[in-house]
Amino acid sequence: MASTETSAVQDAGSVEAGLDALDTASVGRPTLRQTLVNKIIPPVVALGVVLVAWYVLYPIVDDPTKLPSPGEVGAAFKDAWLKGDLLGYIWTSVSRGLLGFFFALLIGTPLGLLVARVRFVRAAIGPILSGLQSLPSVAWVPPAVIWLGLNNSMMYAVILLGAVPSIANGLVSGVDQVPPLFLRAGRTMGATGVKGIWHVVLPAALPGYVAGLKQGWAFSWRSLMAAEIIASFPDLGVGLGQLLENARTDSDMAMVFEAIILILFVGIAIDLLIFSPLERWVLRSRGLLVKS
């Protein structure tokens, strides 16, 4: 009987050790080959395919007013760089976008918590937030111009109206997915009120919150571009949206493509530098993304 119990204990220990081994992944730096294959080669190949298609289509269209050659677009970039305007275009829009997104974060986070935790507030403004999230950002530009005039305040108002609903709804979704056991355990350990929100609710709701932040940035960037395109004014400076509108007015397709490429570049760069690492950190901290 004793030998049977000893064997059972040993089996349980081996099972536990096996589970621990499964949970413990070999974490190390990826090799140069892995980095090339997984991170560098795929986007380079995609870019090459786009350029090849561009070179093939350009002589078929044979109309520079509709499709400029890659060389013409490259010349537009070179000209803007030599004039010292290229970084100014980018900084004007990026500084507005990041500052507006920061304000949206300050408003959307407590609003999302309020909607998620107070039943009356959710019933009152939850559907409104969902409706605002589906409203095209460009719809806010005319009333913002009328209310605030052609200035940076108008730009920030459009960004807020585009980003706040996404951030708030993302946090609401994250809070709704917090297991009730976490909340009960937190209350048992004295984490109630603000302490419970800070130490239990927010950490547990991080995946949904980060998804809302990522979507909020996309909405804020699109809102800003719409505002810069529609509400162009010399005193506001030339951002990427203004550059695109100026190119359309001048029927300069090379500059149009320059502006579009810059807008795409900034959106991708912000995602890769800020939101993708944040998303990976959240997933890795929960054991959902493991380096091997």
Side-chain angles (χ1 to χ4, degrees), residues 76-253:
F77 273 102
K78 181 180 179 181
D79 182 59
W81 176 262
L82 293 177
K83 289 180 178 178
D85 295 334
L86 190 61
L87 294 180
Y89 299 149
I90 296 173
W91 174 247
T92 299
S93 292
V94 170
S95 60
R96 283 177 184 154
L98 291 178
L99 185 58
F101 180 75
F102 175 73
F103 290 140
L105 185 63
L106 293 181
I107 297 173
T109 300
L111 180 61
L113 284 173
L114 192 63
V115 172
R117 304 296 291 170
V118 181
R119 187 173 301 176
F120 175 80
V121 176
R122 172 176 291 205
I125 67 174
I128 297 175
L129 284 177
S130 299
L132 289 175
Q133 188 173 356
S134 63
L135 185 68
S137 305
V138 69
W140 289 114
V141 178
V145 171
I146 294 172
W147 293 334
L148 301 172
L150 289 170
N151 50 45
N152 280 317
S153 298
M154 177 273 299
M155 299 283 186
Y156 295 133
V158 173
I159 292 173
L160 289 175
L161 290 167
V164 167
S166 295
I167 295 173
N169 281 331
L171 184 52
V172 170
S173 177
V175 172
D176 287 346
Q177 295 173 24
V178 175
L181 180 61
F182 288 9
L183 303 178
R184 290 197 295 269
R187 286 194 293 269
T188 302
M189 299 175 68
T192 58
V194 176
K195 187 184 294 185
I197 291 174
W198 181 254
H199 292 287
V200 179
V201 176
L202 279 178
L206 265 181
Y209 184 41
V210 171
L213 293 180
K214 192 172 183 179
Q215 189 178 53
W217 164 253
F219 274 90
S220 65
W221 186 241
R222 287 162 50 186
S223 302
L224 176 61
M225 291 302 101
E228 288 186 350
I229 290 172
I230 296 175
S232 58
F233 192 64
D235 291 345
L236 293 174
V238 180
L240 298 179
Q242 175 73 62
L243 177 66
L244 183 60
E245 177 61 15
N246 291 346
R248 182 200 66 81
T249 303
D250 297 338
S251 298
D252 188 343
M253 284 302 296

Side-chain angles (χ1 to χ4, degrees), residues 261-280:
I261 291 171
L262 286 174
I263 292 169
L264 285 173
F265 170 78
V266 171
I268 293 171
I270 294 294
D271 180 73
L272 291 178
L273 293 174
I274 298 177
F275 294 105
S276 290
L278 180 61
E279 194 172 33
R280 287 196 299 271

